[in-house]
Amino acid sequence: MRVMVALGGNALLRRGEAMTAENQRRNVRIAAQALAPIGRAHQLIIAHGNGPQVGLLALQGDAYKSVETYPLDVLGAETEGMIGYMIEQELGNILPFEQPFATILSMVEVDPKDPAFANPTKPIGPVYTKEEADRVAAEKGWRMAPDGGGYRRVVASPLPRRLFQMRPIRWLLDKGCIVICAGGGGIPTMYRDDGKLYGVEAVIDKDRASALVARELLVDLFIMATDTDAVYVDWGTPKAKAISRISPDAILALEFAAGSMRPKVEAAAEFAQKTGKIAAIGALSDLSKIAEGKAGTMVTDAADKIEYYS
Amino acid sequence: MRVMVALGGNALLRRGEAMTAENQRRNVRIAAQALAPIGRAHQLIIAHGNGPQVGLLALQGDAYKSVETYPLDVLGAETEGMIGYMIEQELGNILPFEQPFATILSMVEVDPKDPAFANPTKPIGPVYTKEEADRVAAEKGWRMAPDGGGYRRVVASPLPRRLFQMRPIRWLLDKGCIVICAGGGGIPTMYRDDGKLYGVEAVIDKDRASALVARELLVDLFIMATDTDAVYVDWGTPKAKAISRISPDAILALEFAAGSMRPKVEAAAEFAQKTGKIAAIGALSDLSKIAEGKAGTMVTDAADKIEYYS
């Protein structure tokens, strides 16, 4: 079957861990161990986040004063190269030499009229004092908001409309390649009035972009790998229960505390609804079991009631 | 016909120009104008250098003290993303929307026994004082050498042996894609005693790596686009003459002052000898004329004497 796995950016650089190349490499190696059995048994497409990596590039760019920090679309392109390289190399070291790989630079179109642009919410780069923040805002036209004990730049997170490189991705899958694409949700771009495509200072949700690609590729299984082993009801209470199978409508009706689970749940539900295929949310370390239907939360039209792990 | 164009890193960030994203973007736009007619008329593969771009990433990494600068293989991967993105976007803005593109992350194998490792010569990153250089050398095990009025790290430039992503590149060309690959000469990697592939702190000559790819793809024309319009005899003297056609043996017999022309000449001669096809060296702005055989220096087995532009 055809399987797409979306890796969280934090699967590659863990929260609180120093953002060194060594740490990132070690985490990619762990992810590669989890991905390898899927790569052996199935057609595999890998997407990944890039939050911590873009953050580091923004901090490094800010620290070097002679050249203005590069815009977010370019930083996103850099992280697609960096992370794609590490995944391709580490997974290539496990799978047979004959297995072809391709990391495809991925650009995504967003709508200039997306309401997210009126209400930027994603914090990026260094923490400034109030005075610095006011100066930077005036100088660069950035939107700033309180975060991390000071002020940070905030950017929009518009919806992905299409990924431009779908045809090469499809052609390579058909040839048996493991394809790494849609890194960081894809590089955000938009058409302006002159009919030309420009980069945009924004970030695209990685799960939504991955769901879009999974849908277009009509994958049989779309897995969002994260740090929790399933979606829970009553999370953080003694009644907490891990969901094994649930329908799109039922999971959309659940309430989640703010955080990263809501976008995953929406991406999973939309994928399952539109394709009739299975979306799963679970732990990176459980990937093989998720592919066998024995771990993680499966979102599928075929579920007529909510089932739980006992 | 099938045409490969290798763009110099300085075609994208010119010597002496501030290394801003805007300047780079503007230069890529100029390069895209030159590439577009080739992309319309022929199968096109684009390679590019990354010297100034890796240099900037090394300076930014050095300026941000909280995290050790990432190793050169990872910085190379970042530049493949950044430059591939800009080329793909700008060329895509000129060519018909239907034209498919793919930027392929490219890893290149080098030989651990390559003599270049015993004699590293390529300066990278910031200029240090003697004291700083001694400290950094002791701390990181770097080789340092006098450069830029102080001391800089020097790394090896080993020969490229193979590019791992040749199959995807070929498959995509067969489908009509314009393929961007071998950026910065490819990410340097090597097999160690454990049989696994590792990144290497080295740089690969972009012209040699491009020639390797051009040879494997058996392109009809391999163009190295640079800032001079041809290869000259008696360069810098009143007798200077621009060569229009020359055989591999004849061009290898010419003397060149130290600099970037020698590796291009060797890459061109080797390509022409091994394939019987044409290699050309000329100006980026003359690309279309070079493809028509009306500009640049053509290196070809078919040349039985040296011909000059009048």
Side-chain angles (χ1 to χ4, degrees):
Chain A
M1 62 179 180
R2 188 174 272 192
V3 180
M4 177 153 182
V5 178
L7 301 171
N10 292 310
L12 310 176
L13 270 176
R14 286 162 216 279
R15 252 177 283 269
E17 207 175 43
M19 294 192 287
T20 62
E22 290 74 25
N23 284 340
Q24 192 165 179
R25 176 72 72 178
R26 196 185 52 244
N27 293 329
V28 171
R29 212 164 273 163
I30 294 167
Q33 291 290 351
L35 288 162
I38 318 257
R40 277 185 222 278
H42 306 291
Q43 275 192 18
L44 175 60
I45 307 105
I46 303 167
H48 59 83
N50 72 347
Q53 291 80 7
V54 161
L56 176 62
L57 290 177
L59 290 169
Q60 290 175 326
D62 186 71
Y64 183 68
K65 299 300 178 193
S66 312
V67 172
E68 192 88 350
T69 308
Y70 277 31
L72 279 174
D73 57 326
V74 179
L75 299 188
E78 292 178 40
T79 66
E80 288 192 351
M82 162 167 56
I83 301 170
Y85 162 52
M86 289 192 184
I87 295 175
E88 194 168 327
Q89 190 185 36
E90 295 300 337
L91 193 49
N93 272 337
I94 303 175
L95 294 179
F97 179 77
E98 295 67 34
Q99 171 61 54
F101 283 88
T103 298
I104 294 284
L105 185 98
S106 302
M107 293 154 61
V108 162
E109 185 184 3
V110 301
D111 185 348
K113 299 199 184 71
D114 192 302
F117 288 111
N119 179 31
T121 54
K122 292 278 173 187
I124 290 281
V127 179
Y128 299 95
T129 64
K130 179 86 179 78
E131 292 67 38
E132 288 168 337
D134 288 346
R135 185 179 51 73
V136 172
E139 214 178 276
K140 309 194 178 181
W142 288 355
R143 190 83 79 95
M144 312 297 284
D147 192 66
Y151 287 78
R152 291 175 78 194
R153 178 182 186 194
V154 285
V155 299
S157 181
L159 288 180
R161 290 160 58 98
R162 71 169 143 184
L163 193 141
F164 289 100
Q165 288 79 9
M166 283 313 305
R167 284 177 298 169
I169 291 169
R170 234 180 244 123
W171 292 328
L172 292 174
L173 280 175
D174 288 344
K175 288 286 186 180
C177 274
I178 292 178
V179 177
I180 300 159
C181 63
I187 305 166
T189 61
M190 60 165 67
Y191 285 103
R192 294 215 202 124
D193 292 341
D194 61 4
K196 305 237 177 269
L197 190 70
Y198 290 85
V200 188
E201 294 255 37
V203 297
I204 298 174
D205 182 77
K206 173 257 311 165
D207 294 312
R208 287 194 189 281
S210 303
L212 175 70
V213 172
R215 218 158 63 221
E216 297 236 341
L217 294 174
L218 213 69
V219 304
D220 300 288
L221 178 59
F222 167 46
I223 305 176
M224 283 171 273
T226 177
D227 22 16
T228 53
D229 60 350
V231 181
Y232 282 75
V233 290
D234 300 318
W235 175 252
T237 77
K239 296 191 300 175
K241 284 191 296 184
I243 302 168
S244 63
R245 268 165 62 96
I246 187 168
S247 71
D249 286 342
I251 201 167
L252 285 174
L254 297 177
E255 302 259 334
F256 297 97
S260 65
M261 195 50 89
R262 186 80 216 168
K264 286 188 207 310
V265 161
E266 289 177 6
E270 193 184 356
F271 171 81
Q273 274 168 342
K274 291 200 172 162
T275 62
K277 309 274 188 178
I278 300 170
I281 300 172
L284 178 60
S285 53
D286 287 339
L287 266 187
S288 291
K289 285 165 70 186
I290 296 172
E292 292 165 13
K294 294 178 185 160
T297 295
M298 280 201 289
V299 183
T300 166
D301 267 341
D304 49 9
K305 60 176 173 35
I306 306 184
E307 296 170 31
Y308 300 93
Y309 289 101
S310 55
Chain B
M1 62 181 179
R2 186 173 274 190
V3 180
M4 176 153 184
V5 178
L7 301 171
N10 292 310
L12 309 176
L13 269 176
R14 285 163 217 278
R15 250 176 283 269
E17 206 175 44
M19 294 191 287
T20 62
E22 292 72 26
N23 284 340
Q24 194 166 177
R25 176 72 74 179
R26 196 185 52 243
N27 294 329
V28 171
R29 211 164 273 163
I30 294 168
Q33 291 290 351
L35 288 162
I38 317 259
R40 277 186 222 278
H42 306 290
Q43 275 193 16
L44 174 60
I45 306 106
I46 303 167
H48 59 81
N50 71 348
Q53 292 81 6
V54 161
L56 176 62
L57 290 177
L59 290 169
Q60 290 175 328
D62 185 70
Y64 184 68
K65 299 300 177 193
S66 312
V67 172
E68 192 89 350
T69 308
Y70 277 32
L72 280 174
D73 56 325
V74 178
L75 300 188
E78 292 179 40
T79 66
E80 288 192 352
M82 161 165 61
I83 302 170
Y85 163 54
M86 289 193 183
I87 295 175
E88 195 169 326
Q89 189 184 37
E90 295 299 338
L91 193 51
N93 273 336
I94 303 175
L95 294 178
F97 179 78
E98 294 68 33
Q99 171 62 52
F101 282 88
T103 299
I104 294 284
L105 185 98
S106 303
M107 293 153 62
V108 162
E109 185 184 2
V110 302
D111 185 346
K113 299 199 185 72
D114 192 303
F117 287 111
N119 180 32
T121 54
K122 292 280 173 184
I124 290 282
V127 178
Y128 298 96
T129 63
K130 180 83 177 78
E131 291 68 36
E132 289 168 337
D134 289 344
R135 184 180 52 72
V136 172
E139 214 177 275
K140 310 195 180 183
W142 288 355
R143 189 83 78 95
M144 312 297 284
D147 192 67
Y151 287 78
R152 292 175 77 194
R153 179 184 185 194
V154 285
V155 299
S157 181
L159 289 181
R161 289 160 58 97
R162 70 169 143 184
L163 193 141
F164 290 99
Q165 288 78 10
M166 283 313 305
R167 285 176 298 168
I169 291 169
R170 234 179 243 122
W171 291 328
L172 293 173
L173 280 175
D174 288 344
K175 288 287 187 181
C177 274
I178 292 177
V179 176
I180 300 159
C181 63
I187 304 166
T189 62
M190 59 165 70
Y191 285 105
R192 292 214 203 126
D193 292 341
D194 62 4
K196 306 241 177 264
L197 190 70
Y198 291 85
V200 189
E201 294 256 39
V203 297
I204 298 174
D205 182 77
K206 173 257 311 164
D207 293 312
R208 286 194 190 280
S210 304
L212 175 70
V213 173
R215 219 157 62 221
E216 298 235 339
L217 294 174
L218 214 69
V219 305
D220 300 289
L221 177 60
F222 167 46
I223 305 176
M224 283 170 274
T226 177
D227 22 16
T228 52
D229 60 352
V231 181
Y232 281 75
V233 291
D234 299 319
W235 175 253
T237 76
K239 295 189 301 176
K241 284 191 295 185
I243 302 167
S244 63
R245 268 165 62 97
I246 187 168
S247 71
D249 286 342
I251 201 166
L252 284 174
L254 297 177
E255 301 259 336
F256 296 97
S260 65
M261 195 50 90
R262 184 82 215 168
K264 285 189 208 309
V265 161
E266 288 177 6
E270 194 184 357
F271 172 81
Q273 274 168 341
K274 290 198 172 162
T275 62
K277 309 276 188 176
I278 299 169
I281 299 171
L284 177 60
S285 53
D286 286 338
L287 265 188
S288 290
K289 285 164 71 187
I290 296 172
E292 294 165 12
K294 293 178 185 159
T297 294
M298 281 202 287
V299 182
T300 167
D301 267 341
D304 50 8
K305 60 177 173 34
I306 306 183
E307 295 172 31
Y308 299 94
Y309 289 101
S310 54

